[in-house]
Amino acid sequence: MNLPGEEMWRMMPAMLPGPDPIGIPAPPGLLQALLVLTYTLHTLFVGVTLGGTAIGLASAVVGRSHDELRAAPARLLGAHLSQALPVAMAFSITTGVAPLLFVQVLYGPFFYTASTFVAWSWISVVPVLIVGYYALYAWALRRNRGPRAPAWGLAVTLGALVWTAFALVTNMSLFPHPERYGELFNLSGTALNLSEPTMWPRYVHAVLHLLLVGLSYVLAVAHVAARVAPEPAGRVRVAVGRALAVTVALQAAASAWYGVALGPVVETVPLVRTGVVVAVAGGVVMAGAWLLAERAARSRPGGPGALRWAAGAVAGTAVMAAGLAVARHGVRMDALAPYLQPEMWRVSLQLAPLLLFALLLVAGIAFVAYLLLRYPWREGLEHLRA
Amino acid sequence: MNYPFWAIPRLGGSLTVGIVAILHVFVAMFAVGGGLYLVLAERWARREGRQEVLAYVEAHSRFFLLLTAVFGALTGVGIWFTIGLVSPPTTSVLIRTFVWAWAIEWVFFIAEIAAVLLYVASWHRVDARTHMLYGWAYAVSAFMSLVIINGIISFMLTPGRWLETGDFWHGFFNPSYWPSLVGRSAAAAALAGLWGLATATRIASQPDRDRVVRFASWWLVPGALLLPLTTIWYLQVVPVGARMLVLGGAAPVSLMFAGSVVISAIVFAVGVLGPLRSPRTATGALAAVLLAAGLIATGGTEWVREGIRKPYTIYGYLYSNGVYVWQQPGLAARGVLASARFADPARTASVSVSGEQAHAQAADLAAGQELFRLQCSICHSLGGYNDVQPLVKGWSEAYLDFQLAHLDTLKPYMPPFMGSPEERRALARWLASLHPPEAPSAAGRPPLPGEPIS
């Protein structure tokens, strides 16, 4: 069996778990790539869910007005979000499984240790999300019966998502810092890592990023919806466009705050630098493409020009998310560098299972794409007209 | 010993894992069997042109989505979170050994979620053929997720040749893989039938309700026929020590096993002999009782499966207190408190001076408490689930020391005591201190010299 030597076990400093006796089943580079890739995918779905819920809540409150000019755009948004948000939530959860898996493979000893210190907030994610998910369905099912569904369901869901983001950031900002384990060591699992200098800027930055993704998604929906309901879709486009501009400005400020809290690592660590450059480039593409899409939509709402720019903006949003995932990974690797013993990433390659996974992943994606292609999506667009 | 510890008041770690796991398994098995139930029910309704039955399938599919995709999916994540907190070494072994199996299961999850969402959303929006395709896509993906997770779950009790080779496939297709897969498949079908029965009782038209009740009851038959056989098969392939625990070696395990068998038998008997033969006996109340009994039987079976793995979490490899089997000799020589990564440093020092200084007894008590936390508290609590206090009531320090010295031979479901003889004595002293000898009362003691005799 793959057993570590007793000597190595003893060499590890206190308050730092020893390496696992079992090696990792693939080269660390591959596992890190999968981690970053699946995490990016996860943040995109969570962004749609969180941002969409926030917009849905705002529009549900505004949409209760008897003024038709204000109610019609809210109805349009509600009709779409009641269909889309439960789906986005389902995929937020499902896509979250994979990055968590690769985090545990690569950083298990650190991750498990930090998790026990913040155990209550960490485990609370599960019941909180169950409540938030059911609240979302409660709203969506009521909304499908009529546009005046009470918005409390969305408020509960938004609260659940914001809390979940907090709990995740708490753990993820703690585990790469074993030097802080002694300070937070407790048996009751009640620590929160609030004194970590990067914790709050990271959290604010993460929530704003998710909001930005959600706004970008809704803006894209508004551009598409302009084909069947140009008037209310135009109002949505303008309102969400403004919200997006404000969020971009806030995100820039939060990025500066986070950057200052992180210190020189942003410039000195190549992986972080690359990630930041990619994220900024993605953000610029996103913002620029939205401006151009708006311009094109003013002359021809829902026209091919506007839709092309909107697609470019969505792609820019995805690139920004990928850049941030790379940068976060770089920050984590830099923080863990002094503690990562070579033995922790000893490779015990499992080639056949790895190839089987790769094969099934490709087949699975193709199969899901086939299922999606058979669905009558155009009916969804008609549904917005109604 | 490698990780810190999360003290869960009252419940303790093992019961917390158990509660989450039982709730999840009950719904997750429905998610597996229910997919096939939906698609076969839809095919039957379409072939016979029964619109009300088709409407029932549609309503059932919405309920199915709300229960399995929300509660089922999130409690699955919940088990993962919980075992990661309660037993990090076990979680780490499962993750590192089977990361590609988990990843493959994730692919099936994605297909499963996409398919069930499309299935529910596309009623009346696509042709029957496409709708059935979505249904079959879900049923197959859900079953495949069982095929994968079964290899990991069954590995924990019967790692088989993996112990020598460390090979993925030896661990995955372990000795109990097939009986476990067949048994779980039958149980999944039975749970699909029980939930189907519950929703069928809401059908308005009596003839159609009778038809669907009978249809749902048929889903209990595979379980009634196969589960007794797979249970015997399973018990044949598990380690002898585990089998002995079921067959009288540990009274709570044996009783729970017997209880699960009896309750399962009642569920199958009532389900098959009742609604299958006379569909009108199926009321909402009966369905609810059968579901509750199904939950108890599922919980009991899972509890027994966890129980017979003791004293290991991964049989023959990792003890339930997080110590690898190969670590034990080193711990006996070096001491647990000196080896544990997250032991209280103040208490670590105390045993080494015990017996040599004036405060030796207090130091031993402190060390004993720390040893209890490190070695015992994953299963035992103080004042909560599996409370250690009644278990040691009336035992003297010397007797406790003897018990600890022969722990695994006297109680085969317990791991051996790990640590030095000094640590063992410290733990015995602390355990004895939980029930200090009562001071003789004035009424019960013999009279002192000079006292009047009443």
Side-chain angles (χ1 to χ4, degrees):
Chain A
M1 281 305 301
N2 308 315
L3 304 179
E6 287 285 309
E7 281 307 311
M8 186 193 62
W9 194 270
R10 262 178 295 194
M11 275 161 52
M12 301 298 292
M15 285 294 174
L16 187 62
D20 268 296
I22 297 171
I24 57 173
L30 174 65
L31 294 166
Q32 289 176 77
L34 286 168
L35 167 60
V36 172
L37 196 69
T38 53
Y39 177 71
T40 304
L41 195 65
H42 173 59
T43 57
L44 290 173
F45 279 110
V46 177
V48 171
T49 313
L50 190 144
T53 304
I55 298 161
L57 181 60
S59 80
V61 172
V62 173
R64 299 184 76 77
S65 161
H66 291 285
D67 175 2
E68 179 59 21
L69 275 181
R70 299 178 79 181
R75 271 207 306 274
L76 178 81
L77 271 179
H80 175 74
L81 291 175
S82 63
Q83 305 282 322
L85 288 181
V87 176
M89 179 71 115
F91 281 99
S92 297
I93 293 162
T94 313
T95 54
V97 168
L100 203 54
L101 175 66
F102 295 120
V103 158
Q104 293 190 29
V105 175
L106 287 163
Y107 313 108
F110 307 104
F111 173 81
Y112 298 128
T113 300
S115 298
T116 62
F117 301 151
V118 295
W120 281 111
S121 67
W122 182 241
I123 198 79
S124 74
V125 163
V126 175
V128 163
L129 277 178
I130 289 176
V131 171
Y133 201 169
Y134 275 124
L136 181 62
Y137 261 117
W139 171 77
L141 293 174
R142 292 280 296 272
R143 176 61 190 72
N144 287 341
R145 281 190 234 129
R148 289 194 174 270
W152 64 262
L154 285 172
V156 171
T157 307
L158 187 61
L161 291 169
V162 168
W163 169 256
T164 302
F166 174 79
L168 261 70
V169 169
T170 300
N171 199 357
M172 296 301 156
S173 61
L174 172 60
F175 91 73
H177 293 283
E179 71 276 7
R180 306 200 59 235
Y181 290 176
E183 182 192 328
L184 293 173
F185 176 72
N186 73 97
L187 299 179
S188 54
T190 50
L192 278 180
N193 196 32
L194 297 180
S195 57
E196 160 67 39
T198 62
M199 164 75 198
W200 285 111
R202 180 177 174 156
Y203 176 57
V204 172
H205 184 269
V207 171
L208 284 171
H209 166 63
L210 295 172
L211 195 57
L212 211 52
V213 172
L215 286 165
S216 209
Y217 168 77
V218 175
L219 201 48
V221 170
H223 275 280
V224 176
R227 293 168 68 181
V228 293
E231 172 57 22
R235 290 182 174 278
V236 170
R237 211 183 63 228
V238 171
V240 175
R242 281 182 190 150
L244 189 108
V246 171
T247 311
V248 166
L250 290 173
Q251 177 72 330
S255 300
W257 181 23
Y258 191 19
V260 169
L262 283 171
V265 65
V266 178
E267 289 171 24
T268 54
V269 177
L271 199 59
V272 182
R273 205 169 53 224
T274 308
V276 169
V277 168
V278 171
V280 170
V284 168
V285 168
M286 178 195 72
W290 279 132
L291 285 173
L292 293 167
E294 175 60 24
R295 207 169 120 181
R298 276 183 194 164
S299 56
R300 194 178 166 195
L307 291 183
R308 262 200 298 273
W309 284 118
V314 169
T317 312
V319 169
M320 181 180 66
L324 287 178
V326 169
R328 284 206 182 98
H329 181 66
V331 170
R332 178 166 52 219
M333 286 301 296
D334 182 66
L336 277 171
Y339 309 102
L340 270 174
Q341 310 289 319
E343 185 62 23
M344 287 184 168
W345 281 359
R346 184 172 43 83
V347 177
S348 304
L349 184 64
Q350 296 177 355
L351 189 59
L354 167 60
L355 292 175
L356 184 61
F357 162 65
L359 188 74
L360 286 170
L361 181 64
V362 173
I365 291 169
F367 183 59
V368 170
Y370 172 70
L371 295 181
L372 291 173
L373 284 173
R374 293 195 62 153
Y375 188 80
W377 296 103
R378 280 178 189 280
E379 272 188 28
L381 205 57
E382 292 304 315
H383 174 65
L384 294 183
R385 189 202 300 272
Chain B
M1 304 293 155
N2 197 26
Y3 290 99
F5 174 73
W6 176 35
I8 309 171
R10 295 283 167 187
L11 290 181
S14 58
L15 184 61
T16 306
V17 171
I19 290 170
V20 181
I22 288 166
L23 290 174
H24 171 68
V25 167
F26 189 60
V27 176
M29 299 281 262
F30 171 47
V32 172
L36 193 62
Y37 178 94
L38 279 170
V39 79
L40 290 182
E42 183 184 346
R43 189 176 71 167
W44 166 57
R46 286 190 188 280
R47 275 190 182 170
E48 298 197 2
R50 299 191 183 282
Q51 290 309 311
E52 191 161 358
V53 175
L54 207 53
Y56 156 77
V57 180
E58 182 181 350
H60 184 69
S61 73
R62 292 189 207 289
F63 164 74
F64 178 82
L65 173 72
L66 285 175
L67 185 61
T68 61
V70 182
F71 190 82
L74 279 162
T75 49
V77 176
I79 290 187
W80 194 16
F81 275 42
T82 315
I83 64 167
L85 289 167
V86 170
S87 185
T90 310
T91 313
S92 188
V93 170
L94 296 180
I95 293 287
R96 286 203 167 199
T97 306
F98 294 115
V99 65
W100 300 123
W102 293 112
I104 289 168
E105 201 193 14
W106 177 68
V107 174
F108 286 117
F109 275 154
I110 289 178
E112 211 177 313
I113 289 290
V116 76
L117 287 167
L118 287 167
Y119 183 77
V120 173
S122 64
W123 283 101
H124 316 295
R125 291 188 182 174
V126 294
D127 58 277
R129 193 181 156 86
T130 304
H131 197 255
M132 291 292 288
L133 170 73
Y134 291 152
W136 280 113
Y138 174 79
V140 172
S141 306
F143 181 71
M144 286 309 294
S145 71
L146 173 66
V147 166
I148 302 298
I149 194 72
N150 179 64
I152 301 168
I153 295 171
S154 56
F155 159 84
M156 294 169 78
L157 178 60
T158 55
R161 285 182 63 198
W162 177 87
L163 289 172
E164 292 103 51
T165 64
D167 183 82
F168 173 92
W169 299 108
H170 288 154
F172 190 83
F173 290 112
N174 60 77
S176 65
Y177 179 85
W178 292 108
S180 179
L181 182 64
V182 177
R184 282 179 183 276
S185 302
L191 283 170
L194 285 181
W195 283 105
L197 202 59
T199 52
T201 56
R202 297 175 66 86
I203 297 174
S205 142
Q206 187 70 52
D208 282 327
R209 183 162 73 221
D210 290 352
R211 284 189 190 93
V212 176
V213 162
R214 194 166 267 146
F215 175 83
S217 302
W218 270 110
W219 286 74
L220 297 174
V221 173
L225 296 175
L226 285 174
L227 279 174
L229 298 175
T230 55
T231 303
I232 294 167
W233 185 9
Y234 188 73
L235 289 176
Q236 290 295 317
V237 299
V238 300
V240 177
R243 189 160 58 241
M244 294 311 292
L245 291 183
V246 177
L247 304 174
V253 176
S254 307
L255 285 172
M256 187 65 89
F257 176 70
S260 296
V261 169
V262 169
I263 292 171
S264 301
I266 291 171
V267 169
F268 287 123
V270 172
V272 172
L273 298 176
L276 188 59
R277 288 177 60 186
S278 329
R280 303 216 171 166
T281 60
T283 59
L286 177 72
V289 169
L290 286 178
L291 267 177
L295 174 62
I296 294 168
T298 306
T301 308
E302 291 299 311
W303 193 88
V304 169
R305 192 178 58 76
E306 291 286 318
I308 63 174
R309 213 168 52 221
K310 287 181 178 178
Y312 304 100
T313 52
I314 294 171
Y315 214 89
Y317 182 74
L318 182 64
Y319 285 113
S320 46
N321 55 15
V323 175
Y324 295 97
V325 169
W326 51 267
Q327 277 183 305
Q328 195 206 339
L331 289 173
R334 212 166 48 246
V336 167
L337 294 173
S339 309
R341 298 268 165 201
F342 291 89
D344 183 336
R347 296 180 181 190
T348 302
S350 59
V351 163
S352 61
V353 296
S354 67
E356 296 171 22
Q357 292 183 2
H359 300 297
Q361 184 165 352
D364 271 3
L365 287 176
Q369 189 179 13
E370 187 72 354
L371 285 160
F372 175 81
R373 182 177 72 76
L374 290 167
Q375 287 206 46
C376 320
S377 50
I378 193 162
C379 298
H380 292 285
S381 72
L382 275 178
Y385 176 70
N386 209 7
D387 186 4
V388 76
Q389 294 173 93
L391 300 176
V392 298
K393 191 172 184 179
W395 290 9
S396 69
E397 190 179 317
Y399 185 61
L400 276 162
D401 187 47
F402 171 80
Q403 283 279 334
L404 289 172
H406 305 91
L407 196 57
D408 52 328
T409 46
L410 292 170
K411 297 180 177 66
Y413 46 85
M414 295 285 284
F417 176 80
M418 292 155 197
S420 64
E422 292 81 12
E423 287 178 330
R424 196 185 69 225
R425 281 192 285 276
L427 179 57
R429 177 167 285 186
W430 181 76
L431 287 170
S433 77
L434 297 174
H435 295 287
E438 286 176 20
S441 67
R445 63 175 167 74
L448 296 172
E451 276 187 348
I453 300 170
S454 56

